[in-house]
Amino acid sequence: MLFNSLPFLYGFLPVTYLVFWRLKHKNDRYIWLTLTGYVFYAFWDYRFCGLMALSTVLAYAAGLGLRVWESAQLRRLCLIVPITIDLCLLGFFKYATLGLETANRVAAWLDVPLFLSGPHIILPVGISFYTFHTISYVVDAYRRTIVPTRSFFEFSCYVSLFSQLVAGPIVRFRQIETDLEYIGRRGPGRTWHLGWSFFAIGMIKKVLIADTIAAVIDPALARHETLSTATAWLCMLGYAYQIYFDFSGYSDMAVGLGYLFGIRIPQNFNSPYRATDPSDFWRRWHISLSTCLRDYLYIPLGGSQSGRWRTYRNILITMLLGGLWHGASWTFVAWGAYHGLLLIGYRAARPGWDALPVALRRSATFGLVVVGWVLFRATSFDMALDLLGSMFVPTAGAAVAGTIGLLMAVAVAAVAAHSSRNTFELSHRWSPATGLSLAALFAACLLVLYAGRDTPFLYFQF
């Protein structure tokens, strides 16, 4: 089920909302949000609900153990067992096919008579996100950053909360622990306007901007070998805005849904295309992931406290694994390596870079990010090399159908991404005229959905 679908808007959300606020006790609300989370997930494939339940039970049990046990050995056991099982499940469902394909390619390259095959593996939607939720909970409990909850339904509500279940943000338990604890004491009026405002803006970003751009660039990139230099750059600019408005739109909708149920989901995007350097970009882009990689990988590796070369190593390892987290393809690993090298390059050249004018730094950072999106969007290295060749070597090519519409959509997206305030910078207390305009744009989204264009969010695949 998609946020931008009629069954969700006219069925699932109203029923979930009305029943939730009819319930008075916090435990009843935990149970209701848990049940609705599993129903929401089952619309994709009910067979994988058990996988999420297993991850939930393991992390909850580990939390109880970490709550009462002081023995270092038992605490390490509570840390290692659930994380190992979670990572094994994630590795099997997400990376087993990549491992087999890579082994076969290496064997063919070495002229070794080997061919490995396995079953067709379906990737459970959202597995990377809820796995991060449970792992972060266990690690924080082990570090004594949080006191693990005794309530199973409070924890299961946290893991299966439908607003952030399948595509994030990656919300740590401590970020919403207070809201969960007081979920039974609040009424719907306090954050109702924030909820619907965030949700409407996110819907507009997704349906009217991201999907409009995608309708033009997806067919063009499907025949990428025919693109000229100008159209290759235009398509990749379009993709940069598509992925931003698609994912930040989803994140805004998730935040809005959280507000509707009295839960404050943290900001996930902070105008990343205004970044002035690669490090600044990663402080603004997919904040929940970048901070998790920092706190649970980069800092434990030693961070920047172990000398220059070890710092570079830690950055590269972190970004390589961050790239791999996005998908089972070596192009994602290459994208992670690319950003790792950008971060290392920035640290090495920081004094000179920071002395440049702000406008130049922003433009250069955005250009570097757009080039990186080639690796992220490409389905193979051949496609990536074709696109990069077209972009950097003057090339003639075929025209792209819908170029005028794409130029208009990219222009609107550019203004919104580079010059306008982001959703968290808005007051969300609208004048009548602005409120009517927002309502009209939301109605336009509904008309698009009535026409049958409820396209999935890009990050569902991760």
Side-chain angles (χ1 to χ4, degrees):
M1 187 183 292
L2 304 172
F3 293 167
N4 56 322
S5 67
L6 298 179
F8 178 83
L9 293 171
Y10 291 124
F12 181 88
L13 180 56
V15 171
T16 303
Y17 181 83
L18 293 173
V19 172
F20 176 85
W21 289 113
R22 291 285 294 175
L23 301 171
K24 301 303 180 185
H25 193 273
K26 68 177 182 180
N27 202 54
D28 295 335
R29 290 181 174 181
Y30 293 152
I31 294 171
W32 178 243
L33 288 180
T34 298
L35 290 174
T36 54
Y38 276 88
V39 169
F40 180 84
Y41 196 80
F43 268 85
W44 173 74
D45 194 327
Y46 69 91
R47 294 173 297 175
F48 291 101
C49 288
L51 201 64
M52 183 168 63
L54 173 62
S55 184
T56 301
V57 170
L58 287 171
Y60 172 72
L64 290 182
L66 291 167
R67 185 184 179 103
V68 299
W69 288 331
E70 294 298 328
S71 164
Q73 185 175 3
L74 289 175
R75 291 180 64 81
R76 280 195 297 270
L77 194 65
C78 289
L79 174 73
I80 293 170
V81 171
I83 291 178
T84 300
I85 294 174
D86 276 345
L87 292 179
C88 285
L89 290 171
L90 179 65
F92 173 76
F93 283 100
K94 192 167 184 176
Y95 302 111
T97 300
L98 174 65
L100 293 174
E101 291 175 351
T102 301
N104 289 332
R105 288 176 184 172
V106 171
W109 182 65
L110 295 174
D111 200 23
V112 174
L114 174 69
F115 181 80
L116 301 175
S117 62
H120 174 67
I121 300 172
I122 300 172
L123 176 63
V125 68
I127 187 172
S128 297
F129 288 95
Y130 71 71
T131 297
F132 260 41
H133 288 145
T134 55
I135 288 177
S136 68
Y137 176 82
V138 172
V139 173
D140 285 351
Y142 179 79
R143 293 174 173 175
R144 304 182 193 273
T145 305
I146 61 169
V147 177
T149 178
R150 288 193 178 96
S151 169
F152 174 75
F153 285 111
E154 180 182 15
F155 181 67
S156 63
C157 165
Y158 156 69
V159 176
S160 64
L161 189 64
F162 72 88
S163 60
Q164 43 87 55
L165 175 58
V166 295
I170 302 168
V171 181
R172 303 188 215 184
F173 183 77
R174 68 175 182 262
Q175 292 176 308
I176 60 171
E177 182 179 8
T178 301
D179 290 338
L180 289 174
E181 185 62 29
Y182 291 99
I183 202 170
R185 302 184 189 180
R186 293 171 175 165
R190 294 183 59 189
T191 55
W192 186 89
H193 70 286
L194 286 171
W196 288 114
S197 183
F198 268 92
F199 187 83
I201 292 171
M203 178 75 80
I204 292 165
K205 284 183 174 182
K206 164 63 177 171
V207 176
L208 298 187
I209 300 180
D211 288 353
T212 299
I213 293 173
V216 179
I217 67 170
D218 284 351
L221 290 173
R223 48 184 184 84
H224 56 87
E225 65 279 352
T226 69
L227 296 177
S228 67
T229 298
T231 53
W233 273 105
L234 181 58
C235 284
M236 289 316 303
L237 275 173
Y239 182 71
Y241 294 123
Q242 179 203 354
I243 192 170
Y244 171 58
F245 284 100
D246 188 284
F247 194 20
S248 71
Y250 176 92
S251 296
D252 286 345
M253 295 169 82
V255 170
L257 291 168
Y259 275 127
L260 290 179
F261 295 92
I263 297 172
R264 293 166 295 179
I265 292 175
Q267 184 176 11
N268 205 28
F269 289 88
N270 183 18
S271 303
Y273 291 158
R274 294 186 213 163
T276 57
D277 57 68
S279 182
D280 188 28
F281 174 78
W282 280 103
R283 286 192 294 269
R284 296 168 175 264
W285 177 272
H286 202 347
I287 297 168
S288 62
L289 174 65
S290 59
T291 53
C292 277
L293 291 174
R294 179 197 66 199
D295 295 344
Y296 301 114
L297 184 58
Y298 176 67
I299 291 176
L301 284 171
S304 58
Q305 306 301 312
S306 304
R308 182 175 62 174
W309 293 106
R310 288 189 179 181
T311 297
Y312 294 166
R313 178 205 66 183
N314 297 340
I315 291 172
L316 200 55
I317 291 173
T318 300
M319 296 310 296
L320 284 169
L321 292 177
L324 186 62
W325 175 88
H326 280 85
S329 171
W330 290 111
T331 55
F332 288 119
V333 178
W335 174 76
Y338 172 81
H339 273 277
L341 292 173
L342 288 184
L343 290 168
I344 291 170
Y346 169 65
R347 288 184 72 93
R350 184 170 183 172
W353 179 281
D354 289 351
L356 297 172
V358 171
L360 179 58
R361 284 185 281 147
R362 279 185 176 154
S363 299
T365 301
F366 179 65
L368 291 169
V369 169
V370 171
V371 172
W373 286 132
V374 173
L375 292 166
F376 196 92
R377 176 59 177 82
T379 55
S380 66
F381 284 113
D382 288 340
M383 179 178 176
L385 291 173
D386 280 345
L387 280 170
L388 291 170
S390 297
M391 291 166 69
F392 290 100
V393 177
T395 305
V400 172
T403 298
I404 301 300
L406 177 59
L407 285 169
M408 293 173 62
V410 165
V412 171
V415 171
H418 297 280
S419 303
S420 301
R421 289 180 292 174
N422 65 55
T423 320
F424 277 79
E425 293 171 337
L426 300 172
S427 67
H428 298 279
R429 294 192 179 275
W430 307 114
S431 67
T434 305
L436 285 174
S437 300
L438 191 64
L441 290 172
F442 188 78
C445 294
L446 294 179
L447 290 176
V448 172
L449 299 182
Y450 284 129
R453 281 182 52 198
D454 53 343
T455 56
F457 292 88
L458 292 176
Y459 261 64
F460 272 29
Q461 63 186 301
F462 307 134

